[in-house]
Amino acid sequence: MMQARSFKTQSILAASLVALAMLGGCATTDAMTKAQSTADQAMSKADAAATTANSAKADAAQASQKADQANATANSAKSTADEAKSTADAAKAEVDKLAEKIDRMFKKTMQK
C-alpha cells in the first residue's frame, strides 16, 4: 500500500509539474507574442518618425535653397543700388561743380 500511495503521489506530482510546465510555456509564448507585438509597434513608430524626419530634412533643405536664392537676389539688388548711388553721387558732384562755376561767372559779371 505504501508503494501504491507513493506511486499515486508521484503521479499527481508529475502531472502537476507537467501542467505547470505547460502553463509556463504558454505564459512564456504569450509573453513573447506580446513582446514581439510591442517591438513591431515600436519599429512601426520608429519608421514613421524616420519618414517624418526625412521629410522635414527635405523641407529644410528646400527652404535653405530658397533662402540662398533670396540672399543672392538681395546681394544683386544691393550691388545695383550701390552702382545707382555712385552714379547719382557723381552726377551731384558734377552739378555742384557746375553750380560753383556758374556762381563764379555770375560774380565776375556783377563786378564789371
Side-chain angles (χ1 to χ4, degrees):
M1 279 280 189
M2 270 308 235
Q3 281 184 336
R5 255 191 219 179
S6 178
F7 180 73
K8 189 176 181 181
T9 305
Q10 288 177 354
S11 294
I12 292 173
L13 184 59
S16 297
L17 288 174
V18 169
L20 282 174
M22 289 178 73
L23 285 175
C26 290
T28 302
T29 303
D30 213 24
M32 287 298 290
T33 302
K34 286 181 182 178
Q36 184 63 45
S37 175
T38 302
D40 289 344
Q41 288 175 354
M43 188 59 117
S44 175
K45 288 181 181 180
D47 288 343
T51 300
T52 302
N54 287 337
S55 176
K57 184 179 177 182
D59 289 347
Q62 188 177 20
S64 177
Q65 185 179 17
K66 286 183 180 181
D68 289 345
Q69 289 173 348
N71 192 28
T73 302
N75 286 339
S76 177
K78 182 185 181 305
S79 177
T80 302
D82 287 345
E83 288 177 23
K85 183 182 182 307
S86 176
T87 302
D89 288 345
K92 183 181 181 310
E94 193 65 33
V95 167
D96 289 345
K97 195 178 193 183
L98 288 174
E100 185 179 322
K101 190 174 187 180
I102 291 171
D103 283 347
R104 276 193 314 247
M105 289 172 70
F106 182 72
K107 284 181 185 177
K108 280 185 182 179
T109 304
M110 293 302 278
Q111 288 176 358
K112 288 187 181 181

